[in-house]
């Protein structure tokens, strides 16, 4: 159940409307680092949790609802940057709406499809996609994904803050950056309350893992390199369940040879014996093809 109030979560003001900045702000709405992503991500994570995890479900839903408020703030900011701008399309210079919008750096569809309003798209105009959402059903894994989502969202907000000179936009973005700081820390704090936050899933019995490789850093360099002596190649692992080690090479075994395809796929063309191939092998291939044809 949801309720709404006709009031922004935080005041949004624009002193000098800028259609180009409105286009950039769209990334914070419908982009991969945007607020639509985290709002939906936290909701679907919450809806997957059983009753025994209601404390975490409440945490996720509280934050998801806050993120909906951020979408509203950013949509308001986009609209205020689009309307009333001295850079907006003038009737004298306008050949077509799309051309004039492009000349201001605006996404033409913000004018053509939305009447100078925000849209559920990114800064390139690509529609928001649910493929951005991480909701695995595993609480620990999802919380790690949430830390990443908030960190990339904060990075985006700081870049937008650096880009604009508008005091109102800097103030709004400063608020959003602060909330990203809080959300990163709350997800990290939630992870610390779990008995086994790593490895994910912790419910899988580790004795079923290959014990020769579950705490081994494996070098993939062509020429063998000595152990660099880094925290991830020696000493105790963060989960306290193993000791890091170093392998200068990969195990290596077997050849990359595909099994014979089903004749019904028609994958392999007829061929004659090649240089270096024995007549016996060619005859064998021919016999197989003949048997397939007879069937």
């Amino acid at each position: 159940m949801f309720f709404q109030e006709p009031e922004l979560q935080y005041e949004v003001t624009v002193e000098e409307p800028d259609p180009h900045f409105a286009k950039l702000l769209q990334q914070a709405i419908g982009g991969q680092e945007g607020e639509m992503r985290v709002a939906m991500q936290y909701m679907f994570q919450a809806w997957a949790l059983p009753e025994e995890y209601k404390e975490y479900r409440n945490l996720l839903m509280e934050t998801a609802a806050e993120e909906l408020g951020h979408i509203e703030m950013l949509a308001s900011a986009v609209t205020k940057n689009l309307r009333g701008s001295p850079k907006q399309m003038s009737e004298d210079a306008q050949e077509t709406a799309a051309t004039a919008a492009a000349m201001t750096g605006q996404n033409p569809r913000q004018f053509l499809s939305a009447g100078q309003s925000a849209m559920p798209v990114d800064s390139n105009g690509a529609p928001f996609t649910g493929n951005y959402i991480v909701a695995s059903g595993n609480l620990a894994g999802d919380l790690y994904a949430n830390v990443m989502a908030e960190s990339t969202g904060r990075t985006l907000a700081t870049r937008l803050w650096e880009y604009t000179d508008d005091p109102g936009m800097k103030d709004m973005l400063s608020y959003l950056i602060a909330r990203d700081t809080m959300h990163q820390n709350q997800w990290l704090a939630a992870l610390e309350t779990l008995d086994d936050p790593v490895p994910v899933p912790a419910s899988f019995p580790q004795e079923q893992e290959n014990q020769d490789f579950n705490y081994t850093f494996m070098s993939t360099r062509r020429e063998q390199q000595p152990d660099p002596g880094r925290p991830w190649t020696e000493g105790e692992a963060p989960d306290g369940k193993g000791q890091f080690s170093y392998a200068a090479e990969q195990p290596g075994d077997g050849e990359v040879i595909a099994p014979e395809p089903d004749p019904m796929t028609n994958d392999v063309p007829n061929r004659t014996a090649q240089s270096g191939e024995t007549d016996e092998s060619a005859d064998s291939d021919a016999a197989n093809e003949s048997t397939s044809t007879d069937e």
Side-chain angles (χ1 to χ4, degrees):
M1 181 183 298
F2 296 92
F3 301 93
Q4 63 87 25
E5 292 287 342
E7 178 182 14
L8 291 173
Q9 184 183 128
Y10 187 85
E11 184 181 17
V12 174
T13 61
V14 175
E15 293 193 12
E16 295 187 18
D18 182 350
H20 179 62
F21 193 62
K23 178 180 179 179
L24 301 185
L25 283 173
Q26 284 287 164
Q27 190 69 18
I29 295 177
Q32 187 167 1
E33 311 88 353
E35 303 289 356
M36 290 182 69
R37 182 258 182 96
V38 287
M40 294 295 100
Q41 179 161 307
Y42 302 160
M43 284 185 184
F44 278 92
Q45 289 177 4
W47 293 331
L49 294 177
E51 178 64 20
E52 63 186 289
Y53 293 100
K54 62 182 179 181
E55 179 182 3
Y56 300 97
R57 186 173 60 199
N58 181 64
L59 171 63
L60 286 161
M61 286 302 297
E62 290 268 25
T63 311
E66 179 184 345
E67 304 294 9
L68 290 175
H70 295 175
I71 299 171
E72 185 178 36
M73 289 168 56
L74 286 161
S76 177
V78 167
T79 303
K80 289 181 177 182
N81 271 288
L82 289 172
R83 299 180 184 180
S85 169
K87 302 175 187 176
Q88 70 183 357
M89 293 166 284
S90 66
E91 294 181 3
D92 294 336
Q94 181 175 325
E95 294 181 5
T96 66
T99 300
M103 289 176 64
T104 66
Q106 178 183 338
N107 181 341
R109 287 197 60 216
Q110 288 178 323
F111 176 83
L112 296 173
S113 302
Q116 294 183 305
S117 304
M119 300 178 68
V121 301
D122 66 14
S123 56
N124 287 322
F128 174 77
T129 171
N131 291 332
Y132 297 152
I133 295 170
V134 176
S136 69
N138 182 286
L139 179 59
D142 286 347
L143 289 174
Y144 282 115
N146 294 351
V147 174
M148 185 278 290
E150 293 289 347
S151 64
T152 55
R154 188 173 192 271
T155 300
L156 172 63
T158 60
R159 289 169 179 166
L160 289 167
W161 187 94
E162 296 284 0
Y163 190 92
T164 185
D165 292 324
D166 188 278
M169 288 293 87
K170 279 190 174 291
D171 182 55
M172 178 195 74
L173 290 164
S174 178
Y175 172 79
L176 294 176
I177 292 167
R179 297 311 298 156
D180 288 333
T181 296
M182 171 58 194
H183 293 158
Q184 284 184 52
N185 280 280
Q186 75 180 40
W187 300 135
L188 290 168
L191 276 163
E192 291 180 357
T193 66
L194 301 179
D195 293 334
D196 293 303
V198 65
V200 177
S203 55
F204 182 83
Q206 282 199 269
E207 60 268 19
Q208 298 300 319
E209 298 175 354
N210 186 319
Q211 300 298 302
D212 294 331
F213 300 102
N214 55 354
Y215 289 96
T216 301
F217 181 90
M218 192 179 298
S219 176
T220 55
R221 298 283 292 273
R222 179 179 291 275
E223 296 182 3
Q224 292 190 16
Q225 304 293 317
D227 184 345
R230 306 307 298 166
W232 48 87
T233 66
E234 61 183 23
E236 185 177 12
D239 63 10
K241 301 175 183 178
Q243 292 288 318
F244 282 135
S245 62
Y246 176 80
E249 59 182 354
Q250 303 169 69
D253 195 9
E255 295 185 65
V256 184
I257 300 178
E260 286 296 320
D262 188 319
M264 294 180 64
T265 64
N266 296 300
D267 284 356
V268 182
N270 295 333
R271 63 188 179 90
T272 57
Q274 305 296 309
S275 176
E277 184 179 36
T278 65
D279 292 339
E280 181 179 356
S281 63
D283 291 342
S284 175
D285 289 345
N288 289 336
E289 292 171 2
S290 175
T291 300
S292 174
T293 302
D294 292 342
E295 291 176 353

